[in-house]
Amino acid sequence: MRVLICFKSKYGATGRYMRWLSEELGADIKTFDDIDRSYDFHDYDTVVVSSGTYAGFMSLNGFLKRHWNQLESKDVIAVAVGAAPADDPWSLRSYNRIPDRIREKIRYIKIIGDSAGSSRVADYQSPVKRENLDEVIDMVRGGE
């Protein structure tokens, strides 16, 4: 199984998570800026798309919409990273902005990230921990 990880990281937490995920899975990794509209996803079975979520918006939403014609035949896992919990109204607003036609075909997970103001805390104080990826790893490996 070939896995591609695509991400956008504004403050660093998403990038840290996706680099860890790439190491764990032996996956290729690219930022959203590395992938233009003509990018060919055909070599990949699974595509993990990740970004932070900020005040109800996620960059991964636009990425999915731009590339959906190529991604809809893939196993797509969307990973939102943010300080608010998954059941927070702002997190739900972010998720619900993904169009229904895409949302019904992807797997989605929200994991904890740093708030913008806490990006300078020491690693041992940060909520960004490698073990927060366990559920994502299970999803990619077929555990869910």
Side-chain angles (χ1 to χ4, degrees), residues 5 17-29 133:
I5 297 168
Y17 276 132
M18 293 305 108
R19 285 187 290 279
W20 287 336
L21 187 62
S22 175
E23 290 169 9
E24 177 70 26
L25 299 172
D28 294 340
I29 186 169
L133 287 169

Side-chain angles (χ1 to χ4, degrees), residues 61-73:
N61 189 1
F63 184 89
L64 288 170
K65 288 192 274 189
R66 273 190 306 283
H67 298 285
W68 189 244
N69 62 335
Q70 290 190 67
L71 293 174
E72 67 182 323
S73 65

Side-chain angles (χ1 to χ4, degrees), residues 23-131:
E23 290 169 9
E24 177 70 26
L25 299 172
D28 294 340
I29 186 169
K30 298 194 177 288
T31 67
F32 287 0
D33 292 336
D34 295 331
I35 298 177
D36 63 19
R37 287 187 186 269
S38 64
Y39 188 83
D40 190 351
F41 294 89
H42 83 276
D43 288 338
Y44 300 98
D45 305 300
T46 300
V47 179
V48 177
V49 180
S50 183
S51 74
T53 177
Y54 309 99
F57 291 94
M58 298 182 292
S59 298
L60 70 82
N61 189 1
F63 184 89
L64 288 170
K65 288 192 274 189
R66 273 190 306 283
H67 298 285
W68 189 244
N69 62 335
Q70 290 190 67
L71 293 174
E72 67 182 323
S73 65
K74 308 292 180 187
D75 178 23
V76 177
I77 300 169
V79 180
V81 178
D87 60 354
D88 181 88
W90 287 104
S91 295
L92 295 172
R93 183 179 290 176
S94 295
Y95 172 71
N96 287 321
R97 284 198 165 124
I98 299 171
D100 291 341
R101 66 185 171 82
I102 295 174
R103 207 171 47 225
E104 66 190 21
K105 294 186 177 185
I106 65 172
R107 292 184 283 163
Y108 177 87
I109 186 170
K110 172 84 187 288
I111 59 177
I112 193 72
D114 289 323
S115 64
S118 68
S119 61
R120 292 181 195 83
V121 300
D123 282 343
Y124 65 88
Q125 294 175 317
S126 173
V128 178
K129 306 285 185 204
R130 213 174 174 119
E131 57 266 21

